[in-house]
Amino acid sequence: MMPIKAAVSPEQVDSKLKELLQWFENTSTLPEKIEPIVMLRFLKCMDYDIDATKDLIQLNYNLRNKNPNLFIDRNMDQEMTAKCLNVSDLLILPGVTPERHKLLLFRMTDFDPRTRNSVEETKIFFMMADARFTEPDVERTSDDSAANTGLGITDADLADGDVQIVDMSGYTMRHIAYVSIFVLRVYMKFLQEAYPSRLRAMHIINCPSILDKMMSLFKPFIREDVFQMINYHTEGMESLYELVPKDMLPVEYGGKAGTVAEIKQKWMQIMRDKSAYLSDDRYWRVTSETKSRWSWF
């Protein structure tokens, strides 16, 4: 039996968060700035363990700076990025599940394999994730008594992990030829080891007949514990509804969360509103000049 972790008090969360923000500011191998809510996500992801949180943060920014074409050099108005946004839907669905998990849904809208671009698809995923991580996952209530950090954010603002739903409609063997193994390797490493939200489950719906061949390509890059989280729904949506609240899904999938177009438009606007943040090197890039004021100590 796993030991039960002791609850963390609001005062402890506040103290740990302030300590980490100070550490981040004084660490030359990290960017210049980080939003407090993003730091809280890292801390919560690591069960409020300071040292583990520092390790996660260092890995996150190390991988970003080793792969700036995926994580730093980004602009949703760039021609290739804009094209990719039009041929796929990446949705962050409203609310959280009863288990306090956030639902994400991915699907192709243009089935032509020539429209696939691994670099741009990965860039868009993490661009949207970075925008999302500056926003609460849960709407606050007036009687919210959760751990207030003293910085205007609370533990209850954040989901306890992510559940991904992947709609495989339209996938064929020809699509596999357009998958970059290098990008896939980086994507999976970042998602499994450096992402500030834990993956709780993955659901694959509308499974194609070639699914086994596709998964054989992905499996070398998926940790065994993550592989065990994957659920395959091969006979309609009813098995998905048993594991995911139906009402939280888009209208096109039998739910009440709004249409795919409405949800996508909301997040496109959020990304545009946060475009300055997403492209501001001070939040992402580590350079020789970063925090040089500390180098003489």
Side-chain angles (χ1 to χ4, degrees):
M1 181 181 297
M2 293 292 290
I4 299 175
K5 292 183 173 63
V8 181
S9 71
E11 294 76 18
Q12 288 174 313
V13 174
D14 185 40
S15 176
K16 289 172 182 284
L17 182 57
K18 288 178 178 177
E19 177 183 340
L20 284 166
L21 290 170
Q22 186 65 49
W23 165 80
F24 192 99
E25 181 181 348
N26 295 347
T27 302
S28 62
T29 55
L30 293 171
E32 182 179 341
K33 302 178 70 175
I34 186 172
E35 290 294 312
I37 191 172
V38 177
M39 180 64 81
L40 183 58
R41 287 186 183 276
F42 279 111
L43 182 59
K44 182 170 183 174
C45 183
M46 302 312 294
D47 295 321
Y48 303 98
D49 182 307
I50 289 281
D51 291 335
T53 301
K54 290 179 179 180
D55 290 342
L56 178 63
I57 291 169
Q58 292 276 20
L59 178 59
N60 182 289
Y61 290 99
N62 180 270
L63 287 174
R64 284 182 187 274
N65 281 266
K66 284 184 176 179
N67 302 277
N69 61 317
L70 300 177
F71 298 106
I72 298 178
D73 302 329
R74 54 196 185 178
N75 183 334
M76 62 185 297
D77 291 323
Q78 289 177 346
E79 181 180 1
M80 291 304 297
T81 303
K83 285 182 178 179
C84 195
L85 282 166
N86 289 330
V87 300
S88 300
D89 289 329
L90 166 56
L91 308 179
I92 300 173
L93 302 183
V96 294
T97 69
E99 299 81 17
R100 294 184 54 82
H101 299 158
K102 195 71 174 171
L103 299 182
L104 290 76
L105 189 149
F106 316 92
R107 72 174 188 178
M108 291 193 303
T109 56
D110 187 328
F111 295 162
D112 184 344
R114 293 170 296 180
T115 65
R116 311 325 302 170
N117 185 315
S118 296
V119 169
E120 295 303 326
E121 289 168 357
T122 300
K123 186 184 297 186
I124 289 168
F125 174 84
F126 289 114
M127 199 185 319
M128 185 169 287
D130 287 335
R132 167 213 162 181
F133 288 151
T134 65
E135 295 282 319
D137 292 320
V138 184
E139 290 188 11
R140 296 186 187 182
T141 60
S142 58
D143 60 346
D144 188 358
S145 59
N148 193 313
T149 65
L151 296 171
I153 51 179
T154 72
D155 179 78
D157 288 333
L158 310 182
D160 290 338
D162 290 359
V163 171
Q164 297 187 359
I165 303 170
V166 182
D167 185 344
M168 299 290 288
S169 296
Y171 277 90
T172 67
M173 287 298 295
R174 290 181 61 203
H175 288 89
I176 295 178
Y178 289 85
V179 174
S180 164
I181 298 300
F182 173 77
V183 173
L184 177 62
R185 182 186 296 113
V186 174
Y187 171 86
M188 292 306 304
K189 182 174 180 62
F190 194 93
L191 186 66
Q192 295 174 110
E193 301 179 23
Y195 195 63
S197 185
R198 295 192 180 188
L199 182 64
R200 300 299 186 181
M202 180 179 292
H203 300 282
I204 299 181
I205 61 176
N206 296 319
C207 302
S209 59
I210 61 158
L211 182 62
D212 287 346
K213 293 181 180 179
M214 297 187 73
M215 293 310 297
S216 67
L217 171 68
F218 300 145
K219 190 170 183 180
F221 309 108
I222 304 176
R223 291 193 327 227
E224 183 59 28
D225 61 317
V226 174
F227 197 79
Q228 295 302 317
M229 296 179 187
I230 303 176
N231 301 278
Y232 303 96
H233 303 276
T234 58
E235 298 183 5
M237 298 287 288
E238 292 303 320
S239 57
L240 177 67
Y241 299 153
E242 294 174 3
L243 299 173
V244 171
K246 180 178 179 180
D247 287 353
M248 291 186 65
L249 298 174
V251 171
E252 292 87 341
Y253 293 85
K256 299 179 180 179
T259 66
V260 167
E262 291 168 344
I263 300 168
K264 182 175 182 177
Q265 180 57 39
K266 172 190 172 182
W267 281 99
M268 291 283 285
Q269 187 59 52
I270 288 174
M271 283 203 296
R272 291 193 182 282
D273 292 343
K274 295 184 180 294
S275 60
Y277 165 73
L278 294 171
S279 61
D280 189 339
D281 279 357
R282 294 175 299 170
Y283 287 96
W284 315 110
R285 197 180 298 274
V286 178
T287 68
S288 57
E289 291 80 18
T290 299
K291 302 173 186 171
S292 60
R293 63 188 183 276
W294 301 103
S295 62
W296 53 274
F297 279 99

